[in-house]
Amino acid sequence: MIREHYEAVKALIPNTFTVHLFDVPASPSFPYVVVWGDPGQHYSETLDSTPHDVLLNVRATCVGANYASCLIVLDAVRAALNRKAPVVAGRKVHEMVQSPLSGVQPDLSVTLPNTGTHPVFAVDEYELRSEPL
């Protein structure tokens, strides 16, 4: 059930650029987005205490070959995800709310082969809550 929530978030992001779910290939094309996050928590707000509800902290890492392309991806992803509710079969998913996790910064562990520069990334987090219909 957790994976379906992540796939539903990924489906909201426009295919203007590549969107990866959890893993990035060794030589990615820029710009791109990685949708990932925590394994979530099942909880209950009912008297029987049976965990039916899901809480996930979904993260979107927006990556560009430079600051300008990273900001373009970041704007597009925020427009696609913030205050939006992904569709998951059999679930009522509440609107997600965006919070920044990191500023826009270079990834000094990676050097782009043709330019010798570093790709730039930013990470946002979206709280996702769902419950059975």
Side-chain angles (χ1 to χ4, degrees), residues 67-80:
Y67 277 88
S69 65
C70 180
L71 292 175
I72 289 168
V73 174
L74 188 62
D75 285 343
V77 170
R78 286 179 172 178

Side-chain angles (χ1 to χ4, degrees), residues 41-58:
Q41 133 184 9
H42 289 84
Y43 67 99
S44 176
E45 291 186 355
T46 61
L47 294 176
D48 71 358
S49 295
T50 302
H52 301 286
D53 300 345
V54 171
L55 171 64
L56 295 171
N57 292 305
V58 177

Side-chain angles (χ1 to χ4, degrees), residues 45-123:
E45 291 186 355
T46 61
L47 294 176
D48 71 358
S49 295
T50 302
H52 301 286
D53 300 345
V54 171
L55 171 64
L56 295 171
N57 292 305
V58 177
R59 294 177 184 105
T61 302
C62 301
V63 184
N66 54 47
Y67 277 88
S69 65
C70 180
L71 292 175
I72 289 168
V73 174
L74 188 62
D75 285 343
V77 170
R78 286 179 172 178
L81 300 182
N82 194 30
R83 307 288 181 196
K84 303 298 188 307
V87 176
V88 177
R91 309 287 299 179
K92 177 184 187 235
V93 182
H94 299 271
E95 289 182 355
M96 299 181 295
V97 178
Q98 176 263 335
S99 299
L101 276 187
S102 77
V104 181
Q105 57 191 311
D107 182 350
L108 300 177
S109 69
V110 177
T111 302
L112 299 175
N114 295 337
T115 64
T117 61
H118 305 288
V120 177
F121 73 96
V123 183

Side-chain angles (χ1 to χ4, degrees), residues 1-33:
M1 175 187 349
I2 299 301
R3 184 176 183 89
E4 288 84 0
H5 285 76
Y6 280 103
E7 289 170 348
V9 171
K10 179 184 177 203
L12 291 174
I13 300 171
N15 60 3
T16 313
F17 32 80
T18 304
V19 182
H20 300 285
L21 187 59
F22 306 120
D23 300 307
V24 179
S27 298
S29 301
F30 293 92
Y32 65 89
V33 178

